[in-house]
Amino acid sequence: GAGVSQSPSNKVTEKGKDVELRCDPISGHTALYWYRQRLGQGLEFLIYFQGNSAPDKSGLPSDRFSAERTGESVSTLTIQRTQQEDSAVYLCASSLTSGDSSEAFFGQGTRLTVV
Amino acid sequence: LAKTTQPISMDSYEGQEVNITCSHNNIATNDYITWYQQFPSQGPRFIIQGYKTKVTNEVASLFIPADRKSSTLSLPRVSLSDTAVYYCLVRDTAAGNKLTFGGGTRVLVKP
């Protein structure tokens, strides 16, 4: 497809289980972002990948959170030993960063519910 | 990292112009100002971006004064479908163009 694709769209998991969220960015986009959005809140930055540079992990809330990106393609966000406080929508975005172009395109998000 | 401050919420009526002002007092020389719109249950969508003076597209206008310490997003003649959260961001060029969102402004358009 032409847009950013995230899967699954919804995930219900039991407390303590690990979850893996997937993001397929727009082809050719060198930058990829992960955000967390709790109900009624703004977007909380988690991690940022830019080309071959080391990722900016400054937003990851704890060591239970990790993310990987293969080259300039798919990214996975992993949450280990999930807690109820992890319940949120996880949004992925990608963008070109060459020149002045920085429009980020977002996926529809993965709604994670930890029960 | 330039922090942004914008009103939490605004109410308007159909057909009116809505202006949302964002403060970014410590914006860096190379930073751009970007606005996104988010509808419920959707990811944010890019609206407009500018560096200085005025930028206009089919959706909105962006006014940036000479000191660049603030910016105003103007939505002309809003309709009910413009009800959304609007985010002001400063694109952090020193951090490789990382996008950091604040709390946004919740705009409610009433009939």
Side-chain angles (χ1 to χ4, degrees):
Chain A
V4 176
S5 176
Q6 292 188 246
S7 60
S9 55
N10 283 283
K11 175 73 175 179
V12 179
T13 189
E14 292 181 350
K15 178 181 173 181
K17 294 285 180 69
D18 297 352
V19 295
E20 199 171 88
L21 312 181
R22 179 186 170 105
C23 173
D24 285 275
I26 294 173
S27 178
H29 280 192
T30 58
L32 187 145
Y33 312 79
W34 283 99
Y35 295 90
R36 177 170 69 180
Q37 187 169 36
R38 294 195 167 108
L39 187 64
Q41 304 295 312
L43 278 75
E44 178 186 356
F45 168 77
L46 296 178
I47 189 168
Y48 167 50
F49 296 90
Q50 170 51 46
N52 295 321
S53 302
D56 181 340
K57 304 180 181 180
S58 60
L60 294 178
S62 76
D63 58 8
R64 295 188 295 106
F65 287 72
S66 63
E68 293 183 349
R69 186 180 188 193
T70 306
E72 293 183 355
S73 61
V74 66
S75 175
T76 55
L77 176 69
T78 301
I79 308 173
Q80 296 178 311
R81 305 181 302 281
T82 52
Q83 305 293 314
Q84 289 185 330
E85 70 221 35
D86 300 333
S87 295
V89 175
Y90 289 81
L91 289 158
C92 174
S94 70
S95 72
L96 292 167
T97 55
S98 59
D100 296 337
S101 175
S102 67
E103 178 180 349
F105 295 83
F106 281 80
Q108 291 297 304
T110 294
R111 182 175 300 277
L112 175 67
T113 304
V114 181
V115 297
Chain B
L1 176 63
K3 178 181 168 61
T4 60
T5 303
Q6 54 185 122
I8 294 174
S9 64
M10 297 180 71
D11 287 358
S12 184
Y13 291 91
E14 282 189 291
Q16 289 189 335
E17 179 180 83
V18 171
N19 295 304
I20 309 171
T21 296
C22 176
S23 297
H24 27 79
N25 290 318
N26 59 339
I27 188 169
T29 302
N30 295 326
D31 289 346
Y32 280 73
I33 299 148
T34 309
W35 286 79
Y36 282 78
Q37 173 191 55
Q38 186 180 28
F39 297 115
S41 302
Q42 295 187 23
R45 181 177 73 112
F46 173 89
I47 301 176
I48 196 166
Q49 175 177 279
Y51 183 80
K52 62 180 178 180
T53 63
K54 177 183 174 182
V55 179
T56 297
N57 62 23
E58 65 278 5
V59 176
S61 294
L62 179 60
F63 299 91
I64 305 168
D67 66 6
R68 305 197 331 118
K69 293 184 182 301
S70 67
S71 59
T72 299
L73 176 74
S74 181
L75 305 172
R77 300 179 299 282
V78 294
S79 63
L80 297 177
S81 62
D82 292 316
T83 292
V85 178
Y86 293 82
Y87 295 95
C88 166
L89 291 81
V90 172
R91 182 159 61 94
D92 191 349
T93 53
N97 297 311
K98 184 172 81 173
L99 297 176
T100 303
F101 286 75
T105 298
R106 191 173 300 273
V107 172
L108 173 63
V109 180
K110 302 175 183 178

